[in-house]
Amino acid sequence: MFSKTLRISSSPHINKGVSVDVIMRNVVYALLPVTAFAVYAFGINALLVILTALIACVMTEHLLNKFSNRSSTISDWSAVITGLLLGLTLPPIFPLWMTFIGGVLAIALGKFVFGGL
Amino acid sequence: MLKFSSNTFKHGVHPPEHKEDTNKLPVRQFPFPPLIVLPMLQHIGKPAQVIVREGQEVARGQLLAKADGNLSVPMHAPVSGIVRKIANVPVIGGQKASGIYLETFPFSGQEVVEGAPVPLSASPEAILQGIQDAGIVGLGGAAFPTHVKLKIPEGKFCEHLIINGIECEPYLTTDHRVMLEQADDIFTGIRYLLRVTDAKQVIIGIEANKKDAADHLADRIPDDLPVKVKVVPVKYPQGAEKMLITALLGKEVPSGGFPIDVHAVAVNVATTAEIGRLLPHGRGIQERVVTITGPGIKKKGNYLIPIGTPLRFVLEQVGAAENLSEVYMGGPMMGVSASDLDISIVKGTSGIVVFGDENVKRNDKIYPCIKCGACVDACPISLNPSRLGILAKSEAYDTMADEYHLMDCFECGSCSYVCPSNIPLVQYFRVAKGIVRKRKSAVAHV
């Protein structure tokens, strides 16, 4: 009986269970109405800018994780937030290629070089 | 009489309680194990010194080891039996420490031998000596020698005697059961404590989730005792004595100070009951109430277990799941996880919580701090765990101690409990405190 090795850990042994990805996802939910209104007010251009920024951020995150042999951090939603926020702050008539570069730099410089979420 | 107090301390957390599994179950006597493993250091201070020989037959309650100086307590035989071996025994941290292997007489009646009684009329000094001789330590988990705590320093006085029946740790129900079942012992204990501390009033602090215990005690207060029962809202870590003093008296114990600085002395309710039970008979501690619970246990309950009972024996008796994964001595917030099932129940063991494989759902990934401030809102003594955590990572231990009051942290675990990034803040602080203490003593020895 009880042949298994025990796991030991440092106290406290329980956690409230509200983890970073949950918080980040909630932030995304909170941004959705704003995003919807932005599209309603500024039309398809705004949607394109936001989508470009989103795609740039998530893609950069994915590629950099892959090239630096790190496990994927897409699922913690932080890259999505970066993309959304960037897209929302830019003017709707902003050129998409500039938006794209902005997204790439936000993740590559802001997150990968200096760390943090 | 019984009023719901809105008074509590600032911040704190509300972990799920899980007390309903065991709080209705009366304390049951646990069987005597065939072999007792008794470490000599079960308290804070110096280990007790063994005074028996290998091969010697001892009776239950007989003195096995005497106290080594003032910051130490003696050890009594938890069972009648033969001293098999005086050697190093396994203890919780994974290391070994001096101790005694005691083989139980299988057919002994296990009567307890009694020593010289310490009557209530004895002098305060004699009662303090009696408390030390009985081997009494804080049974709430800290295991600090009670007689040291009760000694009022020169020039100070005690006005409030606080009996701590908070039991804020999730899962644990030992104090709850002790309050329901040992009311007479508690009040006798309070009489002894009043003799020693000369306090003007006694407050029994109980959390609102133990209303039955509060009513039970309030109904039984003897007319000649200045005792009040105060019910406070449920919040962790209210059972920490400094938090409790803030909750009950509205005063804050100064940083680095002791309760006596606000004219208070706080004693755990089970410790009080033990004083009231042992001193009139001159006995020593041989057993204690332990809550055995957690999802990995079949026969959950509150058991009166002889000190020194090996953990493996305990778990076999209560039908622990075979796939048990983590075993905590104490509650899940401040308890220590056992690395080995050969360690034994000690005086400070208030509970055993067992989690099976499927119950340990820990996400081991540690995210960077997102500066959400949840830990700052949780810290009961208003430290800044977030900042302290960042400093710990860059090993700025002296800054932590000098500028951010690291040494006031009592490791309640509230910050790690709420941290969304899974940062093991308490572990960082434990390491940092150890290093700061070492550096300080190194400086003192130069």
Side-chain angles (χ1 to χ4, degrees), chain A residues 35-57:
Chain A
T35 313
F37 189 75
V39 176
Y40 168 75
F42 298 107
I44 198 74
N45 271 347
L47 184 67
L48 286 179
V49 170
I50 291 170
L51 277 181
T52 312
L54 249 176
I55 291 165
C57 284

Side-chain angles (χ1 to χ4, degrees), chain A residues 1-115:
Chain A
M1 203 177 185
F2 309 139
S3 51
K4 240 184 95 224
T5 323
L6 290 178
R7 239 180 90 120
I8 58 168
S9 58
S10 152
S11 72
H13 307 287
I14 49 177
N15 189 280
K16 198 175 179 185
V18 181
S19 55
V20 164
D21 47 331
V22 176
I23 293 177
M24 294 298 171
R25 205 169 57 220
N26 288 343
V27 174
V28 172
Y29 292 156
L31 287 175
L32 285 182
V34 185
T35 313
F37 189 75
V39 176
Y40 168 75
F42 298 107
I44 198 74
N45 271 347
L47 184 67
L48 286 179
V49 170
I50 291 170
L51 277 181
T52 312
L54 249 176
I55 291 165
C57 284
V58 175
M59 196 193 72
T60 315
E61 170 118 340
H62 176 71
L63 291 178
L64 284 175
N65 273 332
K66 211 171 163 188
F67 291 135
S68 58
N69 282 328
R70 278 177 245 208
S71 57
S72 172
T73 48
I74 303 284
S75 57
D76 68 24
W77 291 78
S78 75
V80 178
I81 293 187
T82 309
L84 253 182
L85 286 176
L86 178 69
L88 287 168
T89 47
L90 294 176
I93 50 160
F94 205 64
L96 293 183
W97 64 272
M98 286 189 188
T99 311
F100 190 83
I101 291 179
V104 171
L105 289 182
I107 294 294
L109 281 185
K111 192 170 172 187
F112 268 74
V113 176
F114 291 100

Side-chain angles (χ1 to χ4, degrees), chain B residues 23 99 133 193-194 215 222 225 239 243 246 260 271 293 330 349 359 429:
Chain B
N23 64 7
D133 291 345
L193 291 174
L194 280 174
D215 290 334
L225 285 183
M243 298 305 105
T246 310
I260 196 67
T271 313
T293 181
T349 308
N359 312 114
F429 302 159

Side-chain angles (χ1 to χ4, degrees), chain B residues 38 59 69 178 208 210 249 257 261 265 316 335 349 364 381-382 391 440:
Chain B
L38 206 61
V178 165
K210 290 177 274 294
L249 304 178
D261 295 330
V265 168
E316 280 168 5
T349 308
D364 283 324
I381 51 171
S382 300
L391 287 169
K440 280 214 176 110

